[in-house]
Amino acid sequence: METSGTAVHRAPWNKGKIVGQKAPFKLKDIWSLRVRLQLENRVRELALFNLGIDSKLRGCDLVALKVRDVCHGDQMATRAIVMQHKTQRPVQFEITAGTRDALQTWIKQAALKSDDFLFPSRLHESPHLGTRQYARILGHWVDELGLDRADYGTHSMRRTKATLIYRRTKNLRAVQLLLGHAKLESTVRYLGIEVDDALEISEQTEI
């Protein structure tokens, strides 16, 4: 019989797993998956994928969105603002035309009301899509693209547009605002900016 003082030894959650920053999706992968989802009429997944890329939200915030966050009456919003669960700080994001179309089609097909969660769960115990369900869906997307699951995760969605914006503009402050980071240092770490990036920027600056 075990005593109350017996220690329970659990394996670390990351034992045997590859952890670290997940890669952002490349443009060719984004368009490839979009076309596949459209051709196969996977309306819910297309709306989830497009909004995940546009919003740059953490998975927990993305799955908790309600219809009213992105739609005002019959009108789809071009911008939205949500309170981040992790930081309790508001963050804004844009909703591009393609994403608005995908969302409108999904909301109509699912007959969702303003107070409904945008992505209701198909499991009875959860009112909306869970982060693990989201991760599983993303895993299937990665498989369909022929990529390695070890390299991608839900943060790949969050990082994709932010990384593209940084590469095109080198504007860290803009990316910081879009990601809702309190400190610029967090954005630098999140994007994985290295000395080579800084030197490249410096080399392009003539005096």
Side-chain angles (χ1 to χ4, degrees), residues 193-204:
I193 296 170
E194 303 291 346
V195 174
D196 285 346
D197 296 300
L199 286 172
E200 184 183 336
I201 295 169
S202 184
E203 286 166 353
Q204 293 170 358

Side-chain angles (χ1 to χ4, degrees), residues 1-202:
M1 186 174 180
E2 290 185 349
T3 63
S4 58
T6 303
V8 177
H9 295 287
R10 292 189 178 91
W13 69 271
N14 56 354
K15 185 177 181 180
K17 296 181 180 179
I18 299 174
V19 295
Q21 285 192 332
K22 297 301 182 181
F25 288 103
K26 296 180 174 66
L27 277 175
K28 65 180 180 67
D29 296 324
I30 294 170
W31 285 107
S32 175
L33 185 59
R34 275 182 180 153
V35 169
R36 178 188 287 264
L37 296 177
Q38 287 170 342
L39 290 176
E40 296 178 3
N41 200 32
R42 289 153 67 182
V43 178
R44 174 179 181 247
E45 288 183 58
L46 180 62
L48 179 64
F49 179 73
N50 280 355
L51 189 58
I53 295 291
D54 267 1
S55 70
K56 302 166 287 290
L57 290 173
R58 295 178 182 86
C60 60
D61 293 323
L62 177 65
V63 298
L65 287 173
K66 292 196 169 186
V67 172
R68 64 175 180 235
D69 292 320
V70 300
C71 186
H72 307 141
D74 294 330
Q75 191 74 29
M76 295 302 303
T78 57
R79 292 182 181 180
I81 182 168
V82 297
M83 190 67 70
Q84 298 173 99
H85 178 75
K86 180 179 178 180
T87 64
Q88 292 302 302
R89 292 165 57 90
V91 66
Q92 296 187 61
F93 59 89
E94 73 287 356
I95 307 175
T96 58
T99 300
R100 293 197 299 273
D101 290 344
L103 286 170
Q104 197 162 39
T105 303
W106 163 241
I107 290 168
K108 185 177 180 180
Q109 178 179 297
L112 299 176
K113 304 290 190 294
S114 180
D115 281 336
D116 291 339
F117 285 104
L118 195 52
F119 302 105
S121 175
R122 291 170 178 170
L123 304 176
H124 295 297
E125 61 269 22
S126 177
H128 60 74
L129 187 72
T131 51
R132 286 188 179 183
Q133 291 171 281
Y134 175 40
R136 279 197 291 271
I137 292 169
L138 184 133
H140 291 309
W141 292 340
V142 171
D143 290 343
E144 289 179 82
L145 290 168
L147 303 173
D148 189 341
R149 281 201 188 200
D151 296 331
Y152 295 86
T154 56
H155 268 279
S156 296
M157 299 287 286
R158 177 161 159 79
R159 292 187 69 211
T160 294
K161 200 165 186 179
T163 302
L164 285 170
I165 291 168
Y166 172 71
R167 286 175 181 167
R168 288 175 180 175
T169 68
K170 305 300 183 184
N171 190 332
L172 268 177
R173 174 60 177 161
V175 177
Q176 178 194 2
L177 291 171
L178 292 169
L179 290 173
H181 286 157
K183 296 179 180 179
L184 199 61
E185 291 84 354
S186 300
T187 308
V188 171
R189 285 197 302 273
Y190 195 78
L191 292 179
I193 296 170
E194 303 291 346
V195 174
D196 285 346
D197 296 300
L199 286 172
E200 184 183 336
I201 295 169
S202 184

